[in-house]
Amino acid sequence: MAIQIGDEAPDFEQESTAGRIKFHEWIGDQWAILFSHPKDFTPVCTTELGRAASLKPEFDKRHCKMIAVSVDDVPSHTGWIGDIEETQKTSMNFPILGDPDRKVASLYGMIHPNANNTLTVRSVFFIDPKKKVRAMITYPASTGRNFTELLRVLDSLQLTDNHQVATPVDWKDGDDCVIVPSITDPEEMKKKFPKGWKALKPYLRMTPQPNR
Ligand code: BEZ
């Protein structure tokens, strides 16, 4: 059955460019994003991995580890990394899993046979420190992902966990947030949202971003 939000992220052990990885152990007490690339030495993937590497300090700030997977083997990835670093002017600073046996791709349903029955689509799984899948994004091979959007999703998930707010349409860091509907007690609201709130409707309460 397909992985759904709230499920435990499947655990696995697989070789990577940073050695053998036991996935849950590797995540430890951090967040993680696991993202797939259809194949090594392909153009869109090359640009994505370069951008991901340059954004790693932003993921680090959010206590989120990054790990990519591509269905080729680790020696192939190692050769490809040279091209990524040369063309994207970055140095690769997170592991790429080898997956020639399609173990990870199968566990995470990354191969969509009606799109292509051997290569993966572009999947992203957001996994929290309890190893729960908290969000998923899926793009076709021809569409490069927006890694700034991945940071935005991570910020939203962490705001919900830490401050009981949700993020409205087109939200970006610093914008007002939405108080989650489950909070209705005015005393609790005063404590949790000392900057105040505006109730546009009883169910639509906006508050300044709590951690800004
Ligand atoms: C790419 O990464 O450029 C790519 C991979 C597979 C199909 C299409 C594009």
Side-chain angles (χ1 to χ4, degrees), residues 38 42-45 122 141-142:
T42 49
V44 176
C45 296
R122 294 186 196 281
S142 51

Side-chain angles (χ1 to χ4, degrees), residues 17-18 35 49 52-53 56 66-68 81 91-96:
T17 52
F35 48 100
L49 282 166
K56 183 169 180 291
M66 312 167 81
I67 190 162
I81 283 172
S91 60
M92 279 299 292
N93 45 19
F94 58 86
I96 308 177

Side-chain angles (χ1 to χ4, degrees), residues 121-143:
V121 292
R122 294 186 196 281
S123 303
V124 187
F125 291 87
F126 295 78
I127 299 165
D128 73 13
K130 292 184 180 145
K131 319 296 182 287
K132 296 275 184 250
V133 173
R134 297 292 298 277
M136 295 173 283
I137 292 176
T138 309
Y139 281 15
S142 51
T143 305

Side-chain angles (χ1 to χ4, degrees), residues 11-14 20 99-108:
D11 198 13
F12 57 81
E13 195 173 331
Q14 193 70 306
R20 195 156 184 86
D99 201 32
D101 58 359
R102 314 284 200 267
K103 190 202 288 179
V104 177
S106 303
L107 269 175
Y108 280 81

